[in-house]
Amino acid sequence: MKQRLSLQNIVGMGFMTFAMFLGAGNLIFPPLAGQLAGTHVWLAAAGFLVTGVLLPLLAVVMISRVGGGFNEITGELPRSMIALMGCCIYIIVVPIYGVPRTGLVAYEVGIIPFLKEPDSTSRLTYSVIFFGTAWYLSLYPGKLLESVGKIITPALILLLMILGISPLISPLGEAGEPMNGYAENPFFSGFLEGYMTMDALAALLFGIVIITNLKSHGITSPDALVRYSVITAFIAAFGLALVYLSLFNLGSQSHGIIAQPENGGQILSVYVNKLFGIYGNVLLATVVTLACLTTAIGLITAASEYFCDLSGKLNYKVLVAAISLSCMMFANFNLNQMIELFIPVLLVLYPVSIALILLGLIKSLLPNPQLVYRATLLVTFILSLVDASKGLNHPITQKLLVPLESLPGYDFNLSWVAPSVVTIVLTCLIGKRITPS
């Protein structure tokens, strides 16, 4: 019997996935990138869409083919390495940085404009309410379609449409001259800015949430799971692309109203206040809170399910509570400091995740998957460390980097790309010789 999901549930799944991806970074980085890119805004946006939309889409497609779990994606690696890699990604993305950032952004963009004197007490109070809500809605992962896909997301999409269309109807200025790296290399600058959304990392974690929700609605056959996961991913990717393009456009028009913002959240706050007054701030507060909340719910759910499966003993609801508490604590740090602190971490994690996604898509074509996976991921990891270490101004580090400056993509923090491709080709050739036909 062919398993089917109703059109309403298909749209609901797509909306749920879109909402889980659309979080803190998705809202604050595109406006700032748009302002910095200026007249090069669409080239920068194209690079951003590669890492912010295309890669997460490919990741969900790849994950659906292996069943949705992180351990299945990395099955060609040693078991200890799988556990270490999974734990590092989940811990950094969920309880330490990614999810706390959702609460921070929701507070700074959505709440601070209404406060006369923001202080640590107001931030703590808000984080308790925000992550208390996330904790409660994460307790029942099989019901996320109902709570997120059918209730929260439609309201979020309506508000985003108002926010995205407004700059087209009532533009507040023209694009300025491109600045920083966007003047010479807008595409690659946008590409690297897409790292900051963490969507490719999130896609590796959200796969299990999507599969869990499909199974809870009676979809259990492998073919049906792949089919509906891909449809869901395309709906989410289309929505994300529209949001990013509208926010890039908004940012490119913002130079005249806020010349030197600390982050994209400030651009959004000033922009909507200029267009709509106090009603604009209410609109933005609602959009940001809903977007950040759905991402927090999705990631807390994914991390809790992963650690439950990994240990075989831990209680899901206890994990949800512990992770939510950790997120609440880290959400009381400074947003800009957190972003700066974790840029080197993302320069390491993102290339490894990209390599993992692309290898997963071509796995069936590899003569010796284990050899190709292990060699490619090792090379990618080592060279991503090179890119991440550039910010260290230590004399010894700078001397060690000199021989590597001739690598293609070195200036764009893409030193790992060419060597990783060469490694895939060489290991495939070696694999054909050592693997029996």
Side-chain angles (χ1 to χ4, degrees):
M1 181 178 177
K2 191 173 183 179
Q3 297 179 343
R4 292 185 180 277
L5 200 63
S6 69
L7 178 61
Q8 181 184 10
N9 281 338
I10 290 174
V11 174
M13 281 291 300
F15 282 4
M16 180 198 76
T17 306
F18 164 77
M20 288 194 302
F21 276 115
L22 187 70
N26 311 76
L27 294 174
I28 65 174
F29 294 118
L32 183 59
Q35 185 184 97
L36 294 175
T39 53
H40 292 166
V41 61
W42 301 121
L43 275 174
F48 192 93
L49 291 180
V50 173
T51 44
V53 176
L54 180 60
L55 278 174
L57 170 62
L58 294 177
V60 174
V61 172
M62 181 268 293
I63 290 167
S64 67
R65 293 169 61 182
V66 299
F70 183 82
N71 290 351
E72 286 78 14
I73 308 168
T74 51
E76 307 304 322
L77 302 177
R79 289 187 62 84
S80 57
M81 185 62 66
I82 294 172
L84 177 63
M85 188 176 176
C87 288
C88 285
I89 292 177
Y90 272 97
I91 289 172
I92 290 170
V93 172
V94 185
I96 294 181
Y97 175 59
V99 176
R101 189 179 71 181
T102 63
L104 263 172
V105 171
Y107 173 76
E108 294 206 1
V109 179
I111 303 301
I112 283 182
F114 298 99
L115 301 177
K116 290 183 178 180
E117 295 183 7
D119 56 21
S120 58
T121 302
S122 63
R123 183 187 304 190
L124 177 61
T125 302
Y126 181 79
S127 64
V128 170
I129 296 171
F130 182 91
F131 288 107
T133 305
W135 159 76
Y136 179 76
L137 293 176
S138 300
L139 290 176
Y140 307 99
K143 296 182 178 180
L144 283 182
L145 175 56
E146 280 72 25
S147 61
V148 175
K150 294 181 179 179
I151 300 173
I152 298 177
T153 314
L156 174 60
I157 290 174
L158 177 62
L159 296 171
L160 283 169
M161 287 175 63
I162 297 172
L163 185 62
I165 293 172
S166 297
L168 299 175
I169 298 174
S170 180
L172 291 180
E174 296 183 355
E177 291 298 316
M179 295 178 281
N180 300 344
Y182 290 94
E184 296 180 358
N185 300 290
F187 179 87
F188 287 112
S189 295
F191 182 93
L192 292 174
E193 191 70 20
Y195 283 15
M196 302 302 292
T197 67
M198 301 176 67
D199 280 348
L201 295 175
L204 297 177
L205 315 188
F206 283 150
I208 192 170
V209 180
I210 295 171
I211 296 297
T212 297
N213 275 269
L214 286 173
K215 287 181 177 178
S216 71
H217 286 79
I219 306 300
T220 55
S221 74
D223 290 342
L225 286 172
V226 172
R227 181 170 67 255
Y228 288 119
S229 294
V230 170
I231 294 172
T232 292
F234 269 97
I235 294 173
F238 181 74
L240 285 173
L242 290 180
V243 171
Y244 291 150
L245 291 173
S246 65
L247 291 178
F248 263 89
N249 181 52
L250 184 154
S252 70
Q253 299 178 13
S254 67
H255 184 76
I257 58 172
I258 177 168
Q260 293 182 322
E262 291 185 10
N263 55 61
Q266 291 184 351
I267 294 177
L268 284 175
S269 295
V270 173
Y271 199 102
V272 297
N273 184 266
K274 190 80 172 178
L275 279 177
F276 305 110
I278 188 64
Y279 299 106
N281 293 119
V282 173
L283 168 69
L284 183 61
T286 307
V287 168
V288 171
T289 301
L290 290 178
C292 291
L293 183 61
T294 50
T295 299
I297 293 167
L299 286 172
I300 290 171
T301 299
S304 301
E305 291 187 342
Y306 175 78
F307 287 117
C308 275
D309 292 341
L310 185 66
S311 68
K313 297 178 181 179
L314 295 174
N315 181 274
Y316 174 81
K317 292 185 178 181
V318 172
L319 277 171
V320 169
I323 291 171
S324 299
L325 181 62
S326 173
C327 293
M328 183 198 72
M329 293 171 58
F330 280 100
N332 284 275
F333 289 96
N334 179 272
L335 176 60
N336 293 326
Q337 289 177 346
M338 283 190 72
I339 292 172
E340 289 295 324
L341 178 65
F342 278 90
I343 286 176
V345 177
L346 295 179
L347 286 175
V348 175
L349 288 182
Y350 234 87
V352 172
S353 299
I354 292 172
L356 199 55
I357 292 167
L358 297 181
L359 287 171
L361 292 171
I362 63 171
K363 183 177 178 180
S364 60
L365 304 176
L366 302 177
N368 189 323
Q370 187 177 94
L371 172 65
V372 179
Y373 266 68
R374 296 186 179 190
T376 304
L377 291 174
L378 178 62
V379 169
T380 303
F381 174 70
I382 291 173
L383 290 172
S384 66
L385 288 175
V386 170
D387 290 329
S389 64
K390 290 179 191 175
L392 301 175
N393 293 319
H394 196 281
I396 296 178
T397 305
Q398 297 303 317
K399 286 183 180 180
L400 291 174
L401 292 176
V402 170
L404 301 172
E405 291 177 357
S406 58
L407 284 172
Y410 179 86
D411 294 334
F412 309 121
N413 290 324
L414 297 172
S415 306
W416 56 275
V417 175
S420 297
V421 172
V422 170
T423 302
I424 292 174
V425 173
L426 290 177
T427 49
C428 282
L429 293 174
I430 294 171
K432 283 185 178 180
R433 289 184 173 274
I434 65 175
T435 304
S437 56

